[in-house]
Structures are given as structure tokens and as C-alpha cells.
Amino acid sequence: MTFGFAPSSAASTSTSADLSAASNPLTRLLEPAEWAAAGIPLLRNPREVVSGLHSRHRPTTATAIVAVLDPDERLSASASFTRRSAPADGWMFRNALLSQLRRVIPHDLRRRTPVRTAVLLYCRDGDARWTEEDGAWMWGLRDACTLHGLRCGAYITLTRDGWQVLGEGRGGRRPNSTSAPEPFALSEAPPPLPRTGGAASEVLRRAAAR
């Protein structure tokens, strides 16, 4: 089990697409139909993934958890952070997700085909229906995956009603945004303590990987 940090060679990459997105808010979210047409790989056991992330990070409202899964759907790395109280902006969400990915796992940009998949779990108020905020997170996740050499995986919401994999119609009542985390024995083995190499921020202390 490892927990790694690696500087990314793509850290300073700037494209015309970035500039276009930065100037036009309407391009910074994905509608449900666009997301469904993107060929997002299905999770074999979404409840296990959700329960594992919920147990590790214990999210509260406005907490985002980005996780990287290996080809066997085992957790390679994960990190959580709190969304700033500002208008939903896919470009800013992309930057926040990319920053977390760069901190917890090396990029796969040298691979011709991505082998690892990033998924996003977002705990929020409201019900499970798609919102523009969800669309902005979808846009941000897709773009962050491209810039980190990963496959774009599922976007999952966690609300009082339970969890929902948007675009797939799969979900469940537990865990939810108010439920207590399950013991790891019911989901996955507990994560090792992260090796931070010194003082770490709250975000990094909550990031776990195996």
C-alpha cells in the first residue's frame, strides 16, 4: 500500500480550451444527456465504493471526495476537500480536483490509454435530481481526468435521501449525508496512515490511499 505525491509535468499546461471555458460559463457544465453519451464506465459495485469513501472521509455537506480506482476497482488514492461558497463553476471545480489528484497520485499522461479511473462523490443538500452544480462538477471531473491521464468515472451525489450515481439510475438509501459511517469490516479494510513527510494540511491528513 502506498501514498504518493508527484509533481505533474502538466501543471503549467494552458490550452485554448481553457481560455474558452474561462470566458464562457455556459460551456462549464455538462447536461445529463451529454454525460450519458460520454461513455462513462460503470462501477461494478457502486455501493462498496460509496461506503468505503464514506467511511474514510466522513463527508458533510459541501464535501467533495475524488478517488482513483485501479483496473480491478480497488482504491489507489483518495482525497477530500470542502467546496468554497461561490457560484458553481466547472473550471474552478476542475482546478480544485486536479490539485487534489496531483497531491495524492502520479499522473498517467505517458500512457497511450488510461488504466486508472477517477470517480467523484459529492455530498450536498437537496434531492438526487440533477442540478447545474452537478453539471459543473461533471465538467470539472472530465477535464481534470484528461489533464491527469485518467479515465473519467462515475459522478455520485450523497444527500439525505441516500446516494445516487448520476446518469446510471443506480443508488441506495445508505450511506446518506446524515448516516454514521459503516465499520470498515463491512466495507473495506482500514486505510494505512498517510505518509506526508512532514506537516500536512487538513486536506492531506484526510486523504488516504492503498
Side-chain angles (χ1 to χ4, degrees):
M1 297 182 179
T2 60
F3 181 86
F5 303 84
S8 171
S9 61
S12 61
T13 300
S14 177
T15 66
S16 59
D18 291 339
L19 298 176
S20 175
S23 63
N24 186 0
L26 296 179
T27 68
R28 298 197 292 253
L29 62 84
L30 293 176
E31 299 281 349
E34 295 176 292
W35 184 254
I40 306 299
L42 301 179
L43 290 170
R44 291 194 296 271
N45 192 335
R47 188 186 186 282
E48 181 176 314
V49 172
V50 173
S51 295
L53 295 177
H54 185 258
S55 296
R56 277 177 164 79
H57 297 277
R58 305 189 176 204
T60 56
T61 301
T63 299
I65 305 170
V66 60
V68 179
L69 308 179
D70 71 11
D72 295 320
E73 213 166 274
R74 292 177 302 210
L75 185 64
S76 297
S78 64
S80 62
F81 60 98
T82 302
R83 176 201 186 301
R84 293 180 179 178
S85 55
D89 187 322
W91 198 51
M92 297 302 294
F93 289 172
R94 186 280 303 272
N95 292 341
L97 291 170
L98 192 57
S99 175
Q100 300 304 317
L101 289 170
R102 286 170 175 163
R103 286 176 173 175
V104 300
I105 200 163
H107 67 75
D108 278 346
L109 294 170
R110 294 182 181 87
R111 293 182 178 273
R112 290 188 177 183
T113 304
V115 297
R116 295 184 293 190
T117 303
V119 301
L120 177 61
L121 174 68
Y122 182 56
C123 181
R124 63 166 173 77
D125 291 326
D127 56 33
R129 288 176 294 184
W130 180 89
T131 66
E132 289 190 355
E133 182 183 26
D134 294 325
W137 278 116
M138 291 171 168
W139 190 97
L141 177 62
R142 185 186 66 176
D143 220 41
C145 288
T146 298
L147 293 175
H148 207 64
L150 302 170
R151 287 200 308 170
C152 179
Y155 172 68
I156 307 160
T157 57
L158 190 70
T159 66
R160 286 180 174 272
D161 296 333
W163 57 272
Q164 179 81 15
V165 185
L166 267 67
E168 293 185 20
R170 291 192 291 175
R173 291 189 174 184
R174 296 184 70 86
N176 57 58
S177 62
T178 61
S179 65
E182 292 182 356
F184 276 102
L186 298 181
S187 53
E188 309 179 38
L193 292 175
R195 298 200 304 262
T196 60
S201 67
E202 180 61 24
V203 168
L204 294 184
R205 285 197 297 270
R206 296 176 61 191
R210 71 179 189 186

